[in-house]
Amino acid sequence: MSSSSSLSSFSPLIYGFPFLQLVAIILCFPHLAHSHCKNPPIIFNFGDSNSDTGGLVAGLGFPVKLPNGESVNTSFLSPYLDSLGSTFSNGANFAIAGSATLPKFVPFALNIQVMQFKHFKDRSAELAATGPDRFEDALYMIDIGQNDIADSFAKGLSYVQVVKKIPSILAEIENAVKEIYDQGGRKFWVHNTGPLGCLPQKLALLKNTSDDLDSFGCISSYNAVAKLFNEGLRRKCVGLRSEMKDATIVYVDVYAIKFDLIANSTKYGFSTPLMACCGSGGPPYNYNRRVPCGFPGCQVCDQASKLVNWDGVHYTESANALIASKILSTDYSTPRVTFDFFCQ
């Protein structure tokens, strides 16, 4: 979700994209993750609302109201900012809704999240809560960049201007990997960004889009930038593997998974992939920024399991489950590393 948009449209307990489902599968049901882990990996995650498991709520006290989270029934990776009820024994989540890579040193930019991780690591050593080997064996997940692109378009930048920002965004992700590597991290799991132009929120807010829609109804220019960003991220991962030969850096093509789901929704048992289940305004997008999901006046569809999108930006739990299964298949991973590799 764009950080320039109203915080009222965040849904921290449901978002997940694939990540919440992925963590749930790894930590709670490892056998479903094509893995035989007896001891699932310790995970440290960095990102935005695609992988925030409560950081926005813990950090800012922002209220999250039903129906957000009503169908989610599992344990999530504990938010770093949540001081209550966690020993962080299975890792920590530094992702915060609305986060981007730039500008730096603004809560909660990617470089701030890495700084928080370094502080967490130092304090863990002082308190003898987590030994250094635990950090070296941990899995470091990064899913960020969507807000950098979305915010740029929201501010009125042209396609060409947004494309020119991509190298700076990628440099921040590269720097984050290198900093974590310098802290002993050797196992990385990097998601590219999804088809931004297929989100109901973007479609509803952008006026006069008919000339810029593809055959599936998505905004072509937004998706074109996402694909350019993803290709750049893929190349960065190739370069980092060459530079850090003792590290494993898995690049996951989330874009391909999500676009396939939208383009072939009926094949997977879904309908109206460009309409939000929870929102207001009705078809075609059911999104109104003044009446977001969880606020008075919003409506929730009867069959959330049949819709791809939850609140205009984030996916439904059923869609996330499918996305997670494809991620865990390794068919979209380079290199094709199974989660067994990340077991403790």
Side-chain angles (χ1 to χ4, degrees), residues 1-171:
M1 161 59 84
S2 168
S3 58
S4 64
S5 302
S6 168
L7 284 175
S8 64
S9 52
F10 290 134
S11 308
L13 295 185
I14 191 77
Y15 351 95
F17 263 25
F19 182 80
L20 295 189
Q21 293 292 335
L22 190 58
V23 170
I25 291 171
I26 295 169
L27 299 184
C28 303
F29 308 104
H31 62 286
L32 297 179
H34 306 285
S35 170
H36 300 287
C37 283
K38 292 183 179 178
N39 298 302
I42 292 173
I43 296 175
F44 294 105
N45 180 69
F46 307 83
D48 51 31
S49 67
N50 290 339
S51 56
D52 182 348
T53 51
L56 178 68
V57 177
L60 300 179
F62 187 80
V64 177
K65 306 172 184 178
L66 292 175
N68 292 301
E70 66 182 5
S71 64
V72 179
N73 183 27
T74 188
S75 298
F76 295 145
L77 191 65
S78 296
Y80 165 71
L81 294 176
D82 193 350
S83 59
L84 302 175
S86 177
T87 61
F88 299 103
S89 59
N90 62 344
N93 192 356
F94 298 90
I96 302 286
S99 295
T101 66
L102 295 169
K104 298 173 67 173
F105 302 108
V106 174
F108 291 93
L110 179 59
N111 81 303
I112 292 290
Q113 295 180 28
V114 173
M115 289 168 64
Q116 290 175 323
F117 163 72
K118 291 161 77 172
H119 175 71
F120 177 87
K121 181 172 179 284
D122 291 342
R123 288 293 290 150
S124 295
E126 290 174 18
L127 299 172
T130 306
D133 58 321
R134 303 272 279 177
F135 287 97
E136 292 173 6
D137 292 339
L139 172 60
Y140 295 88
M141 306 182 75
I142 299 177
D143 186 338
I144 201 165
Q146 176 176 311
N147 289 330
D148 291 273
I149 299 172
D151 285 353
S152 298
F153 278 118
K155 291 173 182 175
L157 271 63
S158 68
Y159 170 84
V160 172
Q161 290 172 318
V162 179
V163 168
K164 286 182 178 179
K165 294 187 67 174
I166 291 177
S168 298
I169 301 168
L170 294 173

Side-chain angles (χ1 to χ4, degrees), residues 254-286:
V254 174
Y255 183 101
I257 297 172
K258 291 180 176 177
F259 192 79
D260 174 52
L261 171 57
I262 291 165
N264 301 292
S265 57
T266 55
K267 182 178 79 172
Y268 296 107
F270 293 91
S271 62
T272 54
L274 304 183
M275 188 171 77
C277 170
C278 181
S280 59
Y285 308 122
N286 196 38

